[in-house]
Amino acid sequence: MDDHEWLTERFAEHRSHLRAVAYRMLGSLSEADDALQDAWLRASRADVGQVQNIAGWLTTVVARVCLNMLRSRGNRHEEPLDIQAADPLLGPASTGNPEQEVVMADSVGVALLVVLDTLSPAERLAFVLHDLFAVPFEEIAPMLERSPEATRQLASRARRRVKGAAPAPNADLSRRREIVEAFLSATRGRDFQALITLLHPDVVLRADKAVMLTAEPVMVNGAELVAQGAMAAMQRAQFTGLALLDGAAGLVMAPQGHLRVALAFTIVDGLITAIDVTAEPDRLDGLNLAVLD
């Protein structure tokens, strides 16, 4: 077996790991696959005779490609477009695989993808490689042309963003999380009766103008009407996940990790009494959003 055949087998062997790294770096399946293709072209032209840890070396190649893509994306102010959808909040149609995108986003965590999207390329690389894949700072630092200590500080800043401010003490946080999670599950599954059981009969849903693309904010009263509205938003629910919003359990809708909608819940005696839906960019920017452990 020659070196090229050996490298081909090793790349195939580690492909799932490399794709996982690229997806967390880029937040987009199509871009992750593009990164792997570019990384393979670079790797196939390299001399790997002296490489002792091929998995680590391939991870470095993929990470460098992703870092360049993130920097290029920022310079062009572009966002990846992977989703087939007519909904303007989900983005324009494309030839991507939305079902697989949903599975990947769920496996990583939508809230984590949202927070990663707010980091600088250097912070994102340092955090993803070190905190998610246990790559030592000494190996990350050369990619960023920084010292290991400076790279450690980048990861630390990113980690604080991911964790967010400590939530207010709330003995019911776990129970509230269960209710919000059940709301999402029922919406995704189009289970109308399950939604009704979670809602107070007089529940109020308030949505800003950007949510419905209306001239004025929208208010809906009553469990049945709110549940019907949730059913109509089933497509959006596929790209939605749990998050910590201003210290409370909530939901964020974020195709490719880009925050589009946030849902904050008021829960009293185990029932949802109010839902506030936000999509206006200025209001979204004002949210204290973090990963809900």
Side-chain angles (χ1 to χ4, degrees), residues 45-69:
R45 294 193 295 262
D47 180 3
V48 296
Q50 302 301 315
V51 175
Q52 297 181 348
N53 178 2
I54 192 63
W57 183 78
L58 288 172
T59 298
T60 297
V61 175
V62 169
R64 288 181 182 276
V65 170
C66 291
L67 181 63
N68 290 337
M69 292 174 69

Side-chain angles (χ1 to χ4, degrees), residues 196-208:
I196 290 292
T197 64
L198 297 169
L199 300 173
H200 188 279
D202 298 320
V203 63
V204 177
L205 181 144
R206 295 176 287 265
D208 64 30

Side-chain angles (χ1 to χ4, degrees), residues 272-289:
I272 299 170
T273 60
I275 306 173
D276 289 281
V277 190
T278 301
E280 293 177 0
D282 289 346
R283 295 185 63 201
L284 290 175
D285 289 343
L287 292 174
N288 180 4
L289 187 150

Side-chain angles (χ1 to χ4, degrees), residues 30-131:
S30 67
E31 285 202 326
D33 289 338
D34 288 345
L36 258 62
Q37 184 176 5
D38 190 354
W40 166 246
L41 292 175
R42 293 168 184 250
S44 64
R45 294 193 295 262
D47 180 3
V48 296
Q50 302 301 315
V51 175
Q52 297 181 348
N53 178 2
I54 192 63
W57 183 78
L58 288 172
T59 298
T60 297
V61 175
V62 169
R64 288 181 182 276
V65 170
C66 291
L67 181 63
N68 290 337
M69 292 174 69
L70 285 174
R71 287 169 170 168
S72 178
R73 182 197 297 174
N75 291 337
R76 298 192 307 266
H77 303 289
E78 290 182 358
E79 296 179 354
L81 302 174
D82 284 348
I83 295 177
Q84 288 180 325
D87 190 323
L89 287 174
L90 291 180
S94 82
T95 58
N97 188 330
E99 292 79 12
Q100 193 175 13
E101 190 86 32
V102 169
V103 172
M104 286 290 288
D106 281 346
S107 68
V108 174
V110 174
L112 177 58
L113 292 175
V114 170
V115 178
L116 291 177
D117 191 50
T118 68
L119 304 178
S120 71
E123 289 172 337
R124 189 163 184 166
L125 183 139
F127 176 81
V128 167
L129 291 187
H130 180 268
D131 285 47

Side-chain angles (χ1 to χ4, degrees), residues 115 157-167 244 247 288-291:
V115 178
R157 287 204 300 267
R159 197 176 303 119
R160 288 195 295 270
R161 294 286 293 275
V162 170
K163 292 182 177 181
L244 199 63
N288 180 4
L289 187 150
V291 174

